[in-house]
Amino acid sequence: MANSYDVIVIGSGPGGYIAAIRAAQLGLKVAVVEREHLAGICSNWGCIPTKALLRSAEVLHLAEHAKNYGLTLEGKISPDLQAIVKRSRGIAERMNGGVAFLMKKNKVDVIWGEAKLTKANEIVVAKTTKAIVQPQGPIPKNTLGEGTYTAKHIIVATGARPRALPGIEPDGKLIWTYFEAMKPEEMPKSLLVMGSGAIGIEFASFYRTMGVDVTVVEVMSQVMPVEDAEISAFAKKQFDKQGMKIILDAKVTKVEKSANSVTAHVEKKDGSVEKITADRMISAVGVQGNIENLGLEALGVKTDRGCIVIDGYGKTNVPGVYAIGDVAGPPMLAHKAEHEAVICVEKIAGLPNVHPMDKLKIPGCTYCNPQVASVGLTEARAKAEGRDIRVGRFPFVANGKAIALGEDQGLVKTIFDKKTGELLGAHLVGAEVTELIQGFVVAMNLETTEEDLMHTIFPHPTISETLKESVLDAYGRALNA
Ligand SMILES: Cc1cc2nc3c(=O)[nH]c(=O)nc-3n(C[C@H](O)[C@H](O)[C@H](O)COP(=O)(O)OP(=O)(O)OC[C@H]3O[C@@H](n4cnc5c(N)ncnc54)[C@H](O)[C@@H]3O)c2cc1C
């Protein structure tokens, strides 16, 4: 039957499109339904376009510090906002086109429209209320549209959207979400960022480097609250040096708007209220799963705090219905969505030895300046779990490559189980740590001990040598500090 599949995936973000490709590789007949843009939030409004903006900021920073490298740049170096945004949007379009190509290559049907489950094995696709972003390049020939479709297995991969605080709802003009922050029409002179999670602090970093007067308000007692406290404190010192104003243990309780600015009432721990006026404000208080209007209630699919409840293989409580990615709960990261997609589809296909998701081994990366990356237990969590631990640290100031690069502000911290030598966690701050963390992720996945890591030869000169030194330090054997 033309409208009948083995697997239908609702949503084509990193969860959805990877699920579709893996299902096709395993010989299953598969379709993906998308209401707005192939490649989801990640490529269109998240991971990739933000990294493009941050790259512009990095180049600007380097150019401004050219003298430190013995270079004289003539004339004033100033950001061209329209060109920066154009580059970022162009890259997003390219990613979107890339997924279109992959759908075609893997013979995945693309169904344009808004999907709703009508039965555990049936969806109805209605005309979308969103403006469809047509991919550049080869559009899959077998593109379908509104109608009823059936599948033995339906995977919900509908992602998430910005969370809003009551009374401080984004209006797209003065109070932005990541959508507006990604493509500002003009550069604000001052900006208030509410929330210092990965999204908030990346935008704070971008705008600060662009010369904007940035204030970050965070309700918790550290920036990037999920990170190890020591790493977070190290990063904060760098942000302070860059002139970012960070107010911790404080919350925005009210916002007054004028024609071209906002005044936020910031309530501090001691009960005092500071009024902060800024041209624009970014609300970065988290995201919430897209669980509405999917027919989940009628089918009895369990949800919890705005996300679909799944087991380690993406199964919901309703046979035949699965969920992956942001809509299936935190951590809301693209690589978590992709890995969940593969696990879910391989389980559906009946492959042997499919490993359930182990959330402790999901790395987290934040691309602010300095970058932050981590995997596994923080020191506080390891202690709270009653673990007997050894902690190693190694600073970038003692690493030749970091010094040669002019990037000597960083720290690597490793946490080991004292008895077994198992690597429990790794926490990094500094240049390129988002690339370096993968060494520790592989190590943790292989259940590596300190001994294996000490026997590993790291190339010289590289910043990666700080990883080994941190391991050595945990055992009182650091060689270069
Ligand atoms: C500013 C920002 C920066 C980020 N940076 C990073 C980063 O550096 N690294 C990282 O790992 N993560 C990052 N993320 C998070 C990352 O984007 C998400 O974790 C990821 O996109 C989740 O993938 P997903 O497939 O679950 O959902 P999404 O990417 O949200 O895709 C869901 C898709 O489903 C479609 N859809 C929804 N409902 C329906 C329906 N009823 N019918 C049809 N289609 C539907 C949507 O249009 C969308 O295309 C960032 C997010 C933001 C906002």
mmCIF file of all heavy atoms in Angstrom, residues 18 21 37 49 69 80 93 163 194 207 234 265 268 280 285 300 345 353 356 380 397 418 447:
data_model
loop_
_atom_site.group_PDB
_atom_site.id
_atom_site.type_symbol
_atom_site.label_atom_id
_atom_site.label_comp_id
_atom_site.label_asym_id
_atom_site.label_seq_id
_atom_site.Cartn_x
_atom_site.Cartn_y
_atom_site.Cartn_z
ATOM 1 N N ILE A 18 17.987 10.948 11.522
ATOM 2 C CA ILE A 18 18.914 9.827 11.750
ATOM 3 C C ILE A 18 18.121 8.524 11.919
ATOM 4 O O ILE A 18 18.514 7.468 11.397
ATOM 5 C CB ILE A 18 19.816 10.108 12.975
ATOM 6 C CG1 ILE A 18 20.795 11.242 12.664
ATOM 7 C CG2 ILE A 18 20.565 8.851 13.441
ATOM 8 C CD1 ILE A 18 21.886 10.926 11.642
ATOM 9 N N ILE A 21 17.171 7.369 8.434
ATOM 10 C CA ILE A 21 18.300 6.808 7.678
ATOM 11 C C ILE A 21 18.654 5.410 8.193
ATOM 12 O O ILE A 21 18.829 4.470 7.412
ATOM 13 C CB ILE A 21 19.542 7.735 7.750
ATOM 14 C CG1 ILE A 21 19.276 9.022 6.971
ATOM 15 C CG2 ILE A 21 20.783 7.032 7.198
ATOM 16 C CD1 ILE A 21 20.362 10.074 7.091
ATOM 17 N N HIS A 37 10.917 22.566 8.588
ATOM 18 C CA HIS A 37 12.246 22.579 7.969
ATOM 19 C C HIS A 37 12.940 21.254 8.205
ATOM 20 O O HIS A 37 13.030 20.780 9.333
ATOM 21 C CB HIS A 37 13.111 23.704 8.524
ATOM 22 C CG HIS A 37 12.891 23.980 9.991
ATOM 23 N ND1 HIS A 37 12.742 22.974 10.934
ATOM 24 C CD2 HIS A 37 12.777 25.140 10.667
ATOM 25 C CE1 HIS A 37 12.564 23.515 12.104
ATOM 26 N NE2 HIS A 37 12.569 24.822 11.983
ATOM 27 N N PRO A 49 23.830 27.135 13.306
ATOM 28 C CA PRO A 49 23.920 28.589 13.086
ATOM 29 C C PRO A 49 24.529 29.351 14.261
ATOM 30 O O PRO A 49 25.175 30.389 14.053
ATOM 31 C CB PRO A 49 22.468 29.015 12.824
ATOM 32 C CG PRO A 49 21.618 27.877 13.267
ATOM 33 C CD PRO A 49 22.451 26.644 13.173
ATOM 34 N N TYR A 69 50.165 38.675 18.417
ATOM 35 C CA TYR A 69 50.800 37.664 17.563
ATOM 36 C C TYR A 69 51.811 38.306 16.603
ATOM 37 O O TYR A 69 52.235 37.692 15.637
ATOM 38 C CB TYR A 69 49.721 36.885 16.784
ATOM 39 C CG TYR A 69 48.737 36.183 17.700
ATOM 40 C CD1 TYR A 69 47.612 36.842 18.179
ATOM 41 C CD2 TYR A 69 48.967 34.875 18.121
ATOM 42 C CE1 TYR A 69 46.730 36.216 19.044
ATOM 43 C CE2 TYR A 69 48.091 34.242 18.995
ATOM 44 C CZ TYR A 69 46.967 34.923 19.447
ATOM 45 O OH TYR A 69 46.106 34.293 20.303
ATOM 46 N N ASP A 80 30.282 43.415 10.768
ATOM 47 C CA ASP A 80 29.199 43.773 9.857
ATOM 48 C C ASP A 80 28.066 42.800 10.172
ATOM 49 O O ASP A 80 28.063 41.652 9.718
ATOM 50 C CB ASP A 80 29.699 43.611 8.412
ATOM 51 C CG ASP A 80 28.604 43.853 7.381
ATOM 52 O OD1 ASP A 80 27.420 43.895 7.773
ATOM 53 O OD2 ASP A 80 28.941 43.976 6.186
ATOM 54 N N GLU A 93 20.916 26.949 5.854
ATOM 55 C CA GLU A 93 20.271 26.494 4.605
ATOM 56 C C GLU A 93 21.014 25.310 3.995
ATOM 57 O O GLU A 93 20.408 24.368 3.486
ATOM 58 C CB GLU A 93 20.272 27.628 3.577
ATOM 59 C CG GLU A 93 19.048 28.507 3.651
ATOM 60 C CD GLU A 93 19.131 29.638 2.641
ATOM 61 O OE1 GLU A 93 19.763 29.465 1.576
ATOM 62 O OE2 GLU A 93 18.572 30.703 2.935
ATOM 63 N N ARG A 163 11.014 27.738 26.375
ATOM 64 C CA ARG A 163 10.122 27.824 27.527
ATOM 65 C C ARG A 163 9.966 29.310 27.871
ATOM 66 O O ARG A 163 10.915 30.087 27.683
ATOM 67 C CB ARG A 163 10.759 27.092 28.703
ATOM 68 C CG ARG A 163 9.816 26.727 29.818
ATOM 69 C CD ARG A 163 10.460 25.638 30.670
ATOM 70 N NE ARG A 163 11.469 26.172 31.578
ATOM 71 C CZ ARG A 163 11.212 26.648 32.789
ATOM 72 N NH1 ARG A 163 9.956 26.703 33.236
ATOM 73 N NH2 ARG A 163 12.181 27.094 33.565
ATOM 74 N N MET A 194 18.573 36.280 30.344
ATOM 75 C CA MET A 194 17.972 35.617 31.510
ATOM 76 C C MET A 194 18.226 34.118 31.370
ATOM 77 O O MET A 194 17.665 33.472 30.492
ATOM 78 C CB MET A 194 16.470 35.941 31.532
ATOM 79 C CG MET A 194 15.718 35.272 32.665
ATOM 80 S SD MET A 194 14.044 35.915 32.870
ATOM 81 C CE MET A 194 13.252 35.419 31.351
ATOM 82 N N TYR A 207 27.422 38.122 21.835
ATOM 83 C CA TYR A 207 27.115 39.554 21.845
ATOM 84 C C TYR A 207 28.188 40.359 22.579
ATOM 85 O O TYR A 207 28.515 41.471 22.194
ATOM 86 C CB TYR A 207 25.721 39.800 22.440
ATOM 87 C CG TYR A 207 24.621 39.533 21.432
ATOM 88 C CD1 TYR A 207 23.910 38.339 21.446
ATOM 89 C CD2 TYR A 207 24.319 40.458 20.443
ATOM 90 C CE1 TYR A 207 22.913 38.083 20.507
ATOM 91 C CE2 TYR A 207 23.325 40.229 19.505
ATOM 92 C CZ TYR A 207 22.629 39.040 19.537
ATOM 93 O OH TYR A 207 21.656 38.806 18.601
ATOM 94 N N PHE A 234 35.736 28.916 37.080
ATOM 95 C CA PHE A 234 36.866 29.284 36.220
ATOM 96 C C PHE A 234 36.353 30.069 35.003
ATOM 97 O O PHE A 234 36.898 31.120 34.643
ATOM 98 C CB PHE A 234 37.594 28.014 35.759
ATOM 99 C CG PHE A 234 38.906 28.268 35.073
ATOM 100 C CD1 PHE A 234 40.104 28.043 35.731
ATOM 101 C CD2 PHE A 234 38.953 28.741 33.759
ATOM 102 C CE1 PHE A 234 41.328 28.282 35.099
ATOM 103 C CE2 PHE A 234 40.158 28.989 33.125
ATOM 104 C CZ PHE A 234 41.347 28.751 33.796
ATOM 105 N N HIS A 265 13.300 43.771 36.650
ATOM 106 C CA HIS A 265 13.435 43.807 38.111
ATOM 107 C C HIS A 265 14.162 42.523 38.505
ATOM 108 O O HIS A 265 13.625 41.422 38.325
ATOM 109 C CB HIS A 265 12.063 43.844 38.774
ATOM 110 C CG HIS A 265 11.331 45.122 38.514
ATOM 111 N ND1 HIS A 265 10.694 45.840 39.509
ATOM 112 C CD2 HIS A 265 11.146 45.838 37.368
ATOM 113 C CE1 HIS A 265 10.152 46.923 38.986
ATOM 114 N NE2 HIS A 265 10.403 46.940 37.679
ATOM 115 N N LYS A 268 17.430 39.662 44.187
ATOM 116 C CA LYS A 268 18.628 38.931 44.615
ATOM 117 C C LYS A 268 18.316 38.081 45.845
ATOM 118 O O LYS A 268 17.237 38.184 46.426
ATOM 119 C CB LYS A 268 19.753 39.910 44.891
ATOM 120 C CG LYS A 268 20.024 40.753 43.640
ATOM 121 C CD LYS A 268 21.292 41.505 43.722
ATOM 122 C CE LYS A 268 21.435 42.313 42.435
ATOM 123 N NZ LYS A 268 22.331 43.416 42.571
ATOM 124 N N ARG A 280 17.689 45.162 24.698
ATOM 125 C CA ARG A 280 16.985 43.906 24.408
ATOM 126 C C ARG A 280 17.246 42.911 25.513
ATOM 127 O O ARG A 280 18.207 43.019 26.264
ATOM 128 C CB ARG A 280 17.482 43.288 23.076
ATOM 129 C CG ARG A 280 17.209 44.129 21.839
ATOM 130 C CD ARG A 280 15.723 44.185 21.490
ATOM 131 N NE ARG A 280 15.486 44.993 20.307
ATOM 132 C CZ ARG A 280 15.275 46.318 20.326
ATOM 133 N NH1 ARG A 280 15.291 47.002 21.475
ATOM 134 N NH2 ARG A 280 15.060 46.971 19.201
ATOM 135 N N VAL A 285 15.510 30.445 29.403
ATOM 136 C CA VAL A 285 15.214 29.707 30.637
ATOM 137 C C VAL A 285 14.855 28.254 30.346
ATOM 138 O O VAL A 285 14.121 27.617 31.094
ATOM 139 C CB VAL A 285 14.080 30.402 31.431
ATOM 140 C CG1 VAL A 285 14.571 31.714 32.007
ATOM 141 C CG2 VAL A 285 12.839 30.619 30.560
ATOM 142 N N GLY A 300 -3.267 7.594 25.216
ATOM 143 C CA GLY A 300 -2.803 7.228 26.556
ATOM 144 C C GLY A 300 -1.294 7.170 26.675
ATOM 145 O O GLY A 300 -0.749 6.491 27.555
ATOM 146 N N VAL A 345 15.657 2.481 16.576
ATOM 147 C CA VAL A 345 15.409 1.803 15.299
ATOM 148 C C VAL A 345 16.030 0.401 15.299
ATOM 149 O O VAL A 345 15.412 -0.558 14.799
ATOM 150 C CB VAL A 345 15.942 2.665 14.130
ATOM 151 C CG1 VAL A 345 15.946 1.878 12.839
ATOM 152 C CG2 VAL A 345 15.096 3.913 13.981
ATOM 153 N N ASN A 353 21.929 -7.403 20.775
ATOM 154 C CA ASN A 353 22.912 -6.595 21.534
ATOM 155 C C ASN A 353 22.753 -5.083 21.390
ATOM 156 O O ASN A 353 23.746 -4.363 21.297
ATOM 157 C CB ASN A 353 24.352 -6.959 21.123
ATOM 158 C CG ASN A 353 24.621 -8.441 21.289
ATOM 159 O OD1 ASN A 353 24.137 -9.025 22.251
ATOM 160 N ND2 ASN A 353 25.332 -9.033 20.344
ATOM 161 N N PRO A 356 20.988 -0.115 25.790
ATOM 162 C CA PRO A 356 20.087 1.001 26.125
ATOM 163 C C PRO A 356 20.883 2.282 26.359
ATOM 164 O O PRO A 356 22.090 2.238 26.603
ATOM 165 C CB PRO A 356 19.432 0.535 27.434
ATOM 166 C CG PRO A 356 20.392 -0.433 28.032
ATOM 167 C CD PRO A 356 21.114 -1.085 26.884
ATOM 168 N N ALA A 380 30.858 17.216 42.856
ATOM 169 C CA ALA A 380 29.792 17.303 43.864
ATOM 170 C C ALA A 380 28.870 16.089 43.782
ATOM 171 O O ALA A 380 28.488 15.511 44.806
ATOM 172 C CB ALA A 380 28.997 18.597 43.659
ATOM 173 N N VAL A 397 47.984 26.833 31.598
ATOM 174 C CA VAL A 397 49.194 27.672 31.702
ATOM 175 C C VAL A 397 50.459 26.825 31.728
ATOM 176 O O VAL A 397 51.556 27.351 31.508
ATOM 177 C CB VAL A 397 49.212 28.588 32.963
ATOM 178 C CG1 VAL A 397 48.456 29.853 32.734
ATOM 179 C CG2 VAL A 397 48.760 27.870 34.200
ATOM 180 N N LYS A 418 38.364 5.875 43.605
ATOM 181 C CA LYS A 418 39.627 5.603 44.312
ATOM 182 C C LYS A 418 39.943 4.106 44.324
ATOM 183 O O LYS A 418 41.092 3.692 44.153
ATOM 184 C CB LYS A 418 39.513 6.120 45.742
ATOM 185 C CG LYS A 418 40.812 6.596 46.331
ATOM 186 C CD LYS A 418 40.573 7.181 47.717
ATOM 187 C CE LYS A 418 41.614 8.199 48.080
ATOM 188 N NZ LYS A 418 41.287 8.908 49.301
ATOM 189 N N GLU A 447 35.105 1.879 29.632
ATOM 190 C CA GLU A 447 35.317 1.629 31.071
ATOM 191 C C GLU A 447 36.804 1.623 31.423
ATOM 192 O O GLU A 447 37.320 0.749 32.117
ATOM 193 C CB GLU A 447 34.614 0.337 31.496
ATOM 194 C CG GLU A 447 33.114 0.465 31.334
ATOM 195 C CD GLU A 447 32.335 -0.773 31.723
ATOM 196 O OE1 GLU A 447 32.954 -1.757 32.127
ATOM 197 O OE2 GLU A 447 31.110 -0.723 31.612
#
